Amino acid sequence: MTTQLTEKHTGTGPAAKPTPAAPAARRAGVRGHRPWTPWLYLLPALAVIGGLLVYPVYQLGLISFLEYTQAQVSGGEPTSFKGFGNYTTLFADPQFRHVLLATVVFAAACVVTTLAVGCALAVLLTRVRALPRLVLMLAALGAWATPAVTGSTVWVFLFDPDFGPVNRLLGLGDFSWTYGRYSAFALVLLEVVWCSFPFVMVTVYAGIKAVPSEVLEAAALDGASQWRIWRSVTAPMLRPILVVVTIQSIIWDFKVFTQIYVMTNGGGIAGQNLVLNVYAYQKAFASSEYSLGSAIGVVMLLILLAVTLVYLRLLRRQGEEL
């Protein structure tokens, strides 16, 4: 009886109601929280991003709306505002539409091939012993660390019609890989995949090692094949990692410049191997049409942003359905 009276007066019993002091304390804690505190910590990073990304993008967009040629660069003539005139000229050019289509197809082929090779080798790394795994990892990281100019030059030598060993091994004689349009694109694709798959391989391999072994063993005991385990178990659990490597591959492969420029000598014969980055370079620096080159850069930026947003939205919708 004494205990019950004590609990009743002190408010410590099981049926005791919270005193008004507790909500008041919580409200005081919320009011004491400063909403701008996270932004204070992010301020240095935002300043760096603003200087390295936002301002150049602003200048790129500004120049795309101006009449900006060598005359304006030299200060001989005043800069005039053209509005969307540069974009109208650009989309009215049949060569630009042709280059845009070629860039999209080439980038898609590079992304798909890179993801396929990288994921396959990541699975292979989980199946081999320590020594072969170490050799494969070192070889892949060596390819990844090779500068693009160096790697492109080596690949051009390997497939050279006169001195390259590949034609001799395949018995192709003096066949020139860079002469034909499709063979040149195929050669560049191989080099792009060679220097890009290590990132996918290492990232996906790390994700596979993080998958609980109990889940894989349960799927194997249920009679699922290795392909079914990958498709139905491993791949869904690796979705966040696959999102990252896919978006990174799209961005890298869509804006390929060095490989095309070096391996096809500036875009191939009569510009048959041009992509948007090389085409923008030719317009801006070879033809001194800086406004058109900037407009091409803005178009590339908008395409990459649209692809990234659509891809993230689709993945989010799939996650909600699951």
Side-chain angles (χ1 to χ4, degrees), residues 7 20-21 33 117 146 152 173 194 206 281 297 308:
E7 291 178 349
H33 174 70
V117 173
T146 303
S152 301
W194 174 76
Y281 174 82
T308 303

Side-chain angles (χ1 to χ4, degrees), residues 60-298:
L60 183 73
L62 179 62
I63 294 176
S64 69
F65 289 105
L66 302 177
E67 178 67 31
Y68 208 82
T69 62
Q70 188 61 44
Q72 282 74 37
V73 174
S74 303
E77 296 181 9
T79 302
S80 58
F81 183 76
K82 292 189 64 176
F84 289 96
N86 291 320
Y87 294 94
T88 303
T89 303
L90 196 62
F91 283 97
D93 185 5
Q95 186 181 17
F96 170 75
R97 298 195 298 268
H98 177 75
V99 172
L100 176 60
L101 178 61
T103 304
V104 171
V105 174
F106 176 72
C110 289
V111 171
V112 172
T113 309
T114 301
L115 292 176
V117 173
C119 292
L121 291 178
V123 175
L124 178 63
L125 287 176
T126 63
R127 300 289 188 269
V128 298
R129 296 182 180 272
L131 183 58
R133 185 188 308 122
L134 178 62
V135 173
L136 181 56
M137 292 280 284
L138 291 177
L141 292 178
W144 192 18
T146 303
V149 175
T150 304
S152 301
T153 305
V154 170
W155 275 76
V156 169
F157 169 75
L158 292 175
F159 289 84
D160 186 85
D162 298 321
F163 307 103
V166 175
N167 280 15
R168 297 180 184 179
L169 292 175
L170 299 179
L172 297 178
D174 58 350
F175 174 75
S176 177
W177 290 81
T178 57
Y179 184 79
R181 182 191 180 199
Y182 297 105
S183 60
F185 269 129
L187 182 59
V188 177
L189 182 145
L190 291 175
E191 201 280 335
V192 171
V193 172
W194 174 76
C195 66
S196 301
F197 84 86
F199 171 74
V200 178
M201 183 190 73
V202 173
T203 307
V204 175
Y205 172 71
I208 293 176
K209 297 300 290 183
V211 175
S213 59
E214 296 82 2
V215 178
L216 302 179
E217 292 175 358
L221 290 175
D222 289 340
S225 62
Q226 294 297 327
W227 167 246
R228 184 60 184 273
I229 293 175
W230 164 261
R231 184 172 62 88
S232 302
V233 180
T234 309
M237 298 184 72
L238 294 178
R239 182 177 288 119
I241 294 177
L242 294 176
V243 170
V244 173
V245 297
T246 302
I247 293 176
Q248 290 282 0
S249 298
I250 291 174
I251 294 174
W252 290 341
D253 296 340
F254 192 82
K255 60 185 187 67
V256 165
F257 175 84
T258 305
Q259 291 87 343
I260 289 286
Y261 193 84
V262 172
M263 300 179 71
T264 64
N265 196 19
I269 300 173
Q272 64 181 1
N273 296 113
L274 282 175
V275 292
L276 283 179
N277 242 351
V278 180
Y279 187 61
Y281 174 82
Q282 289 186 353
K283 285 293 184 182
F285 298 101
S287 303
S288 297
E289 297 178 351
Y290 300 100
S291 54
L292 288 179
S294 300
I296 297 172
V298 172

